């Protein structure tokens, strides 16, 4: 009887424990167990959108997306016996470390990447193995048809198609699109059962960027800049071509460059967009600002003359100014044409520090240009209370002030377009995958800086600077060119100016009577020659001459060209460039 009672109690206790356990599983742990079950049986697959294209103003692809094979494995289905053989095959085909492959296959997973975005030859070799647990999956891969051309502006993406530099980064929100998803079930081995799909949200593909950049003009600029960079053994170089009336960037090139399809093999310094990230003392090209200020404020007239001290001027016991060549008396235009430092400083002293500083700021120096690119710097313009007693003898010809190449070509455009400061723009519009425009550029921002008459007078002086002065190597047959050379000493580590390291530059626009294109060329530390007229001006000539032909520009007869007024040139600029562009446009273009 006692034994029966003990056994009965034991059975009742065991039954109670089972009931409690069932109650616990059904009520207290229900949510946690359901969560685990869903995790085991449900699968949510993210669907990657196609990244938007980047195109030039005529629909030429600058960046696009292609499908690229990637290799993955299902480790838990690979038997231990066959694993050594699989490791050997994979490491041989994919060029991977066998120990790394073995470590990946040792994981208890239903999916591991082995190598992403491989060549088609590697993918075919994997498929030839006939191993169902080693497979190929097509992913999206960014592709740049023109490799290194415009690479610094377009930028590049990482392996996950996320923008990391240039426009790829600046407009990543538009370009990347929105991910979709597919919810389905999987079996006990972790494989998807696509027939049991219960939810599908398609991805939204990225938007396309349409640029103002012209791929052909970009090509000739890159070609000419690379030629100069190599010929003069320079440390670096950059060039910008801009429509001076609107601020539209038609080309932006840098040397050294890199292949955007293989950016990881390039040096970091080669991937820097020097046009917007590097600032330096501009040197003689800055004289345009000083002389424009003098005319605008009526501090000097075109027929005034200045004694240039035969090349050496002892301004004070601690300040001596030199000219490259000894000049006696020069007229106002000749000061700019001959690029006299002494004459420029004498004009600046008539202007005064406060007025000169005000115009430097009006021309946009010391401030961002507002271009739609990452990494822009503002340069340095010291406030008046930081100017020393000798600043008025340095700033007028581009010392003690720093600027970017973009700021300089924008300042030059003030002369070219009749007196307006414009905001540079790279992107024209953003379209969806169906070609619908979802965002257009803001209207060109134009701020009056100087009078149109003053701009015309400086323009005429700049034409003479090319015809008679230091810019002769920028001359284009049949086309009037306005421009200015610059040869600026670089600053040594000890703070003094170098006598062997220079920044060589040329900035100009053409045709002078009706400016269509403005361009700046900067070459960092060229050797053995370093004068802007020798190193930088030929780049301008080679690029602009070919660009004007491409745009369909036909030089007017000499008698008509002489009668063309600056006012007419400015007002006709935008329509003429648009008309010329249409002449060069392909007959059929689905992207424009």
């Amino acid at each position: 009887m006692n034994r029966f009672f003990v056994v009965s109690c034991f059975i009742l206790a065991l039954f109670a424990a089972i009931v409690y356990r069932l109650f616990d599983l059904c009520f207290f742990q229900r949510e946690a167990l359901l969560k685990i079950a869903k995790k085991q049986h449900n699968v949510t697959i993210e669907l990657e959108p196609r990244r938007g294209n980047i195109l030039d103003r005529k629909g030429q692809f600058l960046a696009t997306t292609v499908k690229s094979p990637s290799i993955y494995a299902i480790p838990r289905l690979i038997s231990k016996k066959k694993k050594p053989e699989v490791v050997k095959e994979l490491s041989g085909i994919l060029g991977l470390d066998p120990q790394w492959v073995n470590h990946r296959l040792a994981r208890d997973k239903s999916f591991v990447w082995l190598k992403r975005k491989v060549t088609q030859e590697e993918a075919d070799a994997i498929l030839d193995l006939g191993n169902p647990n080693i497979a190929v999956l097509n992913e999206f891969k960014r592709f740049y048809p023109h490799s290194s051309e415009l690479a610094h502006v377009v930028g590049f993406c990482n392996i996950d198609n996320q923008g990391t530099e240039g426009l790829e980064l600046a407009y990543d929100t538009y370009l990347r699109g929105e991910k979709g998803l597919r919810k389905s079930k999987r079996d006990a081995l972790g494989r998807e059962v696509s027939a049991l799909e219960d939810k599908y949200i398609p991805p939204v593909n990225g938007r396309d960027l349409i640029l103002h950049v012209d791929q052909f003009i970009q090509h000739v600029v890159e070609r000419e800049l690379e030629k100069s960079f190599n010929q003069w053994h320079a440390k670096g170089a950059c060039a910008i071509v801009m429509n001076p009336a609107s601020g539209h960037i038609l080309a932006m090139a840098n040397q050294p460059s890199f292949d955007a399809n293989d950016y990881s093999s390039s040096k970091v310094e080669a991937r820097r967009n020097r046009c917007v990230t590097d600032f330096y003392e501009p040197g003689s090209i800055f004289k345009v600002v000083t002389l424009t200020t003098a005319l605008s404020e009526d501090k000097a007239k075109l027929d005034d003359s200045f004694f240039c001290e035969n090349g050496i001027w002892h301004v004070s016991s601690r300040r001596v100014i030199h000219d490259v060549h000894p000049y006696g008396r020069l007229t106002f235009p000749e000061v700019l044409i001959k690029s006299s430092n002494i004459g420029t400083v004498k004009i600046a002293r008539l202007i005064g520090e406060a007025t000169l500083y005000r115009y430097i700021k009006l021309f946009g120096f010391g401030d961002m240009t507002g271009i739609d690119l990452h990494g822009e710097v503002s340069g340095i313009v010291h406030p008046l209370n930081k100017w020393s007693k000798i600043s008025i003898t340095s700033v007028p010809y581009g010392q003690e002030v720093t600027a970017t190449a973009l700021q300089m070509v924008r300042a030059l455009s003030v002369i070219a377009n009749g007196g307006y400061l414009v905001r540079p723009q790279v992107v024209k519009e953003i379209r969806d995958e169906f070609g619908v425009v979802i965002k257009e550029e803001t209207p060109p921002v134009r701020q009056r800086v100087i009078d149109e008459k003053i701009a015309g007078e400086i323009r005429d002086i700049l034409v003479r600077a090319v015809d008679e002065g230091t810019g002769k190597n920028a001359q284009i047959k049949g086309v009037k060119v306005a421009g200015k050379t610059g040869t600026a000493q670089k600053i040594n580590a000890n703070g003094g100016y170098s006598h062997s390291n220079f920044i060589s530059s040329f900035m100009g626009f053409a045709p002078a009577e009706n400016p269509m294109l403005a361009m700046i060329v900067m070459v960092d530390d060229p050797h053995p020659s370093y004068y802007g007229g020798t190193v930088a001006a030929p780049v301008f000539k080679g690029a602009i001459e070919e660009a004007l032909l491409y745009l369909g520009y036909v030089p007017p007869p000499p008698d008509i060209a002489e009668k063309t007024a600056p006012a007419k040139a400015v007002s006709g600029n935008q329509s003429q460039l648009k008309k010329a562009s249409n002449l060069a446009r392909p007959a059929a273009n689905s992207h424009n």
Side-chain angles (χ1 to χ4, degrees):
M1 184 70 180
N2 290 337
R3 183 182 297 176
F4 176 77
F5 179 76
V6 171
V7 171
S8 297
C9 289
F10 176 77
I11 292 173
L12 288 173
L14 182 63
F15 181 74
I18 292 173
V19 171
Y20 173 78
R21 182 59 176 161
L22 289 173
F23 189 87
D24 179 55
L25 291 174
C26 293
F27 293 96
F28 293 115
Q29 296 190 44
R30 181 175 183 276
E31 294 300 323
L33 293 173
L34 283 174
K35 189 174 181 181
I36 293 173
K38 288 179 180 179
K39 186 176 181 181
Q40 290 178 339
H41 298 292
N42 295 340
V43 57
T44 300
I45 300 174
E46 286 190 340
L47 304 176
E48 291 293 328
R50 180 189 63 79
R51 191 172 177 86
N53 302 309
I54 300 178
L55 307 99
D56 83 339
R57 65 197 186 107
K58 293 184 179 178
Q60 292 288 325
F61 283 88
L62 302 173
T64 188
T65 300
V66 296
K67 286 187 176 180
S68 178
S70 293
I71 312 301
Y72 72 92
I74 308 174
R76 67 173 52 154
L77 298 184
I78 302 174
S79 66
K80 291 183 179 180
K81 184 178 179 181
K82 291 185 177 181
K83 191 165 293 183
E85 181 184 351
V86 173
V87 169
K88 183 178 179 181
E89 291 173 334
L90 291 175
S91 59
I93 295 172
L94 301 178
L96 299 172
D97 179 33
Q99 290 186 349
W100 184 87
V101 176
N102 186 64
H103 174 73
R104 298 289 288 177
L105 297 184
R107 304 171 70 182
D108 184 25
K109 296 281 188 179
S110 60
F111 182 97
V112 294
W113 285 118
L114 293 175
K115 190 174 182 180
R116 299 178 65 186
K117 299 179 181 178
V118 301
T119 64
Q120 191 58 50
E121 290 74 15
E122 289 175 316
D124 291 340
I126 291 295
L127 292 174
D128 289 342
L129 293 177
N131 189 333
N133 302 315
I134 307 296
V136 176
L137 177 68
N138 283 321
E139 290 190 282
F140 286 127
K141 178 182 179 181
R142 206 60 167 158
F143 176 64
Y144 304 93
H146 301 285
S147 301
S148 61
E149 286 186 9
L150 203 68
H152 300 85
V153 175
V154 172
F156 49 85
C157 295
N158 61 21
I159 197 168
D160 293 314
N161 271 352
Q162 297 170 334
T164 54
E165 289 288 348
L167 293 172
E168 295 277 26
L169 173 61
Y171 287 86
D172 186 65
T173 303
Y174 293 98
L175 289 165
R176 69 187 177 205
E178 299 174 19
K179 291 182 179 181
L181 62 85
R182 183 174 71 246
K183 289 188 175 182
S184 186
K185 305 291 183 182
R186 57 184 169 190
D187 62 17
L189 295 177
R191 297 172 300 191
E192 182 190 1
V193 183
S194 56
L196 299 178
E197 176 181 294
D198 57 12
K199 188 173 185 180
Y200 174 74
I201 300 176
V204 178
N205 290 330
R207 276 65 171 175
D208 295 342
L209 297 187
I210 314 300
L211 310 186
H212 289 296
V213 173
D214 190 293
Q215 190 272 324
F216 179 82
I217 297 177
Q218 178 72 27
H219 171 73
V220 297
V221 170
E222 298 238 14
R223 184 194 66 206
E224 296 299 319
L225 188 67
E226 184 180 12
K227 189 189 303 181
S228 179
F229 173 74
N230 292 329
Q231 179 182 357
W232 302 110
H233 313 288
K235 182 179 178 181
C238 66
I240 304 170
V241 176
M242 186 171 84
N243 179 348
S246 64
H248 297 163
I249 300 296
L250 301 176
M252 183 177 284
N254 291 267
Q255 285 293 332
S257 191
F258 68 98
D259 184 351
N261 294 306
D262 188 25
Y263 67 89
S264 60
S265 64
S266 63
K267 295 181 179 179
V268 175
E269 63 180 23
R271 303 199 294 263
R272 189 172 75 245
N273 187 351
R274 297 168 183 265
C275 295
V276 297
T277 65
D278 288 17
F279 58 90
Y280 36 77
E281 293 188 346
S284 293
I285 57 177
F286 199 77
K287 293 172 183 174
V288 174
V289 177
T290 302
L291 270 68
T292 300
T293 302
L295 288 182
S296 296
E297 291 297 306
D298 201 25
K299 299 298 182 181
K301 300 185 183 301
L302 293 175
D303 55 1
D304 288 347
S305 63
F306 303 87
F307 180 54
C308 294
E309 308 290 340
N310 296 314
I312 302 177
W313 185 25
H314 293 268
V315 183
S316 65
S317 58
R318 51 186 292 227
R319 181 59 169 155
V320 180
I321 301 176
H322 298 267
D323 279 341
V324 175
H325 302 288
Y327 299 116
R329 186 162 291 277
L330 296 177
T331 63
F332 183 92
E334 288 174 335
V335 169
L336 191 58
I337 294 167
K338 303 292 185 182
S339 197
S340 169
N341 295 336
I342 296 171
T344 302
V345 171
K346 288 193 172 186
I347 293 172
R349 294 176 80 174
L350 296 175
I351 298 170
E353 293 179 349
T355 302
L356 179 60
Y357 173 80
R358 179 164 60 87
Y359 272 82
I360 289 172
K361 296 297 289 183
L362 282 174
F363 270 85
F365 295 102
D367 299 311
M368 301 284 194
T369 66
I371 192 170
D372 45 344
L373 287 174
H374 279 317
E376 184 187 12
V377 297
S378 61
I380 300 173
V381 176
H382 296 296
L384 276 177
N385 60 8
K386 295 290 182 68
W387 284 34
S388 69
K389 291 182 179 180
I390 64 171
S391 291
I392 192 62
T393 65
S394 300
V395 173
Y397 57 89
Q399 292 185 348
E400 292 191 27
V401 58
T402 65
T404 63
L406 183 63
Q407 287 174 323
M408 288 308 307
V409 74
R410 182 171 75 144
L412 177 69
S413 294
V414 173
I415 308 301
N417 65 30
Y420 293 95
L421 188 70
V422 297
R423 186 181 69 195
Q425 296 184 86
V426 176
V427 177
K428 178 183 178 182
E429 61 189 23
I430 302 173
R431 301 176 184 171
D432 66 15
E433 60 181 315
F434 305 107
V436 177
V437 177
I438 61 173
K439 185 177 181 181
E440 291 184 281
E441 64 169 342
T442 55
V445 177
R446 291 160 58 93
Q447 174 186 343
R448 170 67 74 179
V449 174
I450 60 173
D451 184 75
E452 186 176 318
K453 177 176 177 293
I454 301 299
E457 291 172 346
I458 296 296
R459 180 206 66 180
D460 293 339
I461 296 174
L462 292 176
V463 170
R464 290 182 59 190
V466 172
D467 291 342
E468 309 168 22
T470 56
K472 291 180 180 178
N473 284 333
Q475 294 174 359
I476 300 173
K477 187 176 180 179
V479 179
K480 275 190 177 182
V481 173
K484 180 72 184 76
T485 61
T487 307
Q489 294 172 284
K490 296 182 72 173
I491 299 176
N492 289 323
N494 61 11
Y497 285 98
S498 172
H499 294 286
S500 58
N501 303 100
F502 300 86
I503 298 285
S504 303
S505 59
F506 179 86
M507 63 179 190
F509 54 86
E513 70 278 4
N514 192 2
M516 293 172 64
L517 303 172
M519 182 178 184
I520 186 166
V521 181
M522 291 278 193
V523 183
D524 183 4
D525 205 10
H527 291 93
S529 182
Y530 54 82
Y531 288 111
T534 303
V535 174
V539 178
F540 175 94
K541 171 185 166 61
I544 296 300
E545 183 174 30
E546 200 161 338
L548 289 175
L549 286 172
Y550 160 76
L551 291 173
Y553 174 75
V554 179
D559 57 331
I560 296 178
E562 291 297 327
K563 295 177 183 178
T564 304
K568 183 179 179 181
V570 172
S571 62
N573 172 275
Q574 193 73 354
S575 60
Q576 182 172 352
L577 179 56
K578 184 176 180 180
K579 181 180 179 181
S581 300
N582 289 332
L583 290 175
R585 192 185 304 271
N589 190 335
S590 61
H591 298 284
N592 200 9

